[in-house]
Amino acid sequence: MDERTYTADATPDDTVTVAGWVHELRDLGGIAFLIVRDTTGKIQVKLEKDEMDEELVETGLDVTRESVVKIVGDVKEEPRAPTDVEIVPTAIEVVAEAETQLPLDPSGKVDAELPTRLDNRTLDVRRGESKAIFEIRSTVLRAVREAFRSFGASEITTPKIVATGTEGGTELFPITYFGEEAFMNQSPQLFKQLMVGSGLERVFEVGPIFRAEEHNTPRHLNEATSIDFESAFFDHTEAMDVCEAIVKAAYEAVAENCTDELETLGIDDFEVPDEAFPRLTYEEAIERINATGELDEQLVWGDDLPTEGEHALGQAVGEHYFITDWPAEIKPFYIKDHDDDETLSTGFDMMHPRMELVSGGQREHRFDQLVEGFEQQGLDPEEFDYYTKMFKYGMPPHAGWAIGGERLIATMLGLDNIREAVLFPRDRQRLSP
Ligand code: ATP
Ligand code: MG
């Protein structure tokens, strides 16, 4: 491609070629301004009708909004222009013309409903707010990768097509694999555990998880991005320490690198959490929820925490907090129970007042107990032989967790639906685009 200058880099007295989209045409009579937008911003291109080449002016006046154009010209200082500079063009080329009827208005002047925006993501992510979310998402993913590496974890990728699900059962999407039934993986849980027993010891993965959840809520997707961590020789408290550090690193990176994006989103009170995340036991959590009086019925030991209860607790405890020591019976089989009390699990959740962000725990690494756990959960340990057998060959104690990437971003930015943080969401209504 020909050399091209980003609009943000256009410096007075330079002759440049810029390329981008026609954001707007402002025709003031004798003079008109073509506003050209690229990934770095916008620039004003001046068209003086009586003074410039007629054909050039005509091309500029006729081009439709959102067409791709290439402009060659001289950059001039112009204090009245939005960016203090403008281009006086010597050539305007329409590279790809856009139809006059657009399914949504990328300038954002006309609001569009979320389904329309999702159907036309290309145009939607030309909008400043949408683009800002995905720039922030990119920053978050980079920050968590760097933070994991600073903890000595190796990045892995594990299969998404599997013979059996992590927890078996209902939330699996079946597929046909060369004539046999297979599934889309609902979590890298078992694979990441297998790797703590390998020479890698400490691993992380950022990748898709697939959940055939029937419900349609603002916090569930059928394909989500899971940020997973697992480490050998860790207990659940050490896993929580890393979890807290990773979440804080994501916030810090956004505060440091995304000031423009936060401004575009109208977020002027972005705060990096600086206090330690409170750690409440499940027992304390139900007592505190009951004390808020927000629930019609008091919770008793063994109940799952209802969403209203989590909200109420969040108001009282803060933005991020852990709930630890869950009843063993409501946590999955691969989570280890406390050695001194087998009714209590080492599982933990990290909560935000709006939704659960993380589940984790120390894992059961003892072969006999693990196999027993499968049976208790109604699963056939034989089907998981590829996993359980490795526990016979020296599997260290280990712990880890998973955070939903979209939930992290949605709570960080106060987005009311996690679909805002996914380019092409998969849900009950959406399989395309
Ligand atoms: P929930 O109870 O909120 O449905 P979960 O307990 O079923 O979540 P886990 O299996 O613990 O979810 O998965 C770990 C994390 O992955 C969750 O805390 C959440 O952040 C994220 N996650 C799980 N399922 C989904 C989903 N369907 N859509 C988006 N994120 C999800
Ligand atoms: Mg969970």
Side-chain angles (χ1 to χ4, degrees), residues 55 61 73 75 93 115 214 279-280 283 296 300 306 316 325-326 331 339 352 376-377 396 400:
E55 212 181 303
L61 293 177
V75 185
E93 183 193 335
E214 300 270 342
R279 297 180 185 187
L280 278 73
E283 193 171 0
D296 296 339
V300 294
D325 303 289
W326 289 76
K331 281 289 173 190
D339 288 329
H352 180 277
Q376 278 168 8
Q377 197 118 345

Side-chain angles (χ1 to χ4, degrees), residues 6-79:
Y6 278 130
T7 57
D9 299 333
T11 318
D13 301 331
D14 283 354
T15 298
V16 295
T17 301
V18 299
W21 289 260
V22 175
H23 188 70
E24 204 182 338
L25 174 75
R26 286 193 204 124
D27 194 340
L28 309 177
I31 196 167
F33 297 112
L34 204 57
I35 311 298
V36 175
R37 185 188 69 235
D38 67 10
T39 192
T40 65
K42 300 186 205 84
I43 198 158
Q44 164 171 313
V45 178
K46 182 162 72 179
L47 301 169
E48 284 173 303
K49 294 184 189 171
D50 297 331
E51 281 162 48
M52 289 180 179
D53 176 77
E54 212 172 300
E55 212 181 303
L56 177 123
V57 171
E58 221 163 90
T59 310
L61 293 177
D62 286 352
V63 63
T64 51
R65 283 174 50 225
E66 298 303 319
S67 292
V68 177
V69 291
K70 197 159 99 180
I71 315 262
V72 183
D74 302 316
V75 185
K76 304 278 184 220
E77 233 166 285
E78 176 47 73

Side-chain angles (χ1 to χ4, degrees), residues 331 349 356 358-359:
K331 281 289 173 190
D349 282 358
E356 174 194 311
V358 175
S359 281

Side-chain angles (χ1 to χ4, degrees), residues 319-331:
E319 269 260 297
H320 300 100
Y321 62 96
F322 289 100
I323 303 178
T324 65
D325 303 289
W326 289 76
E329 70 207 43
I330 57 176
K331 281 289 173 190

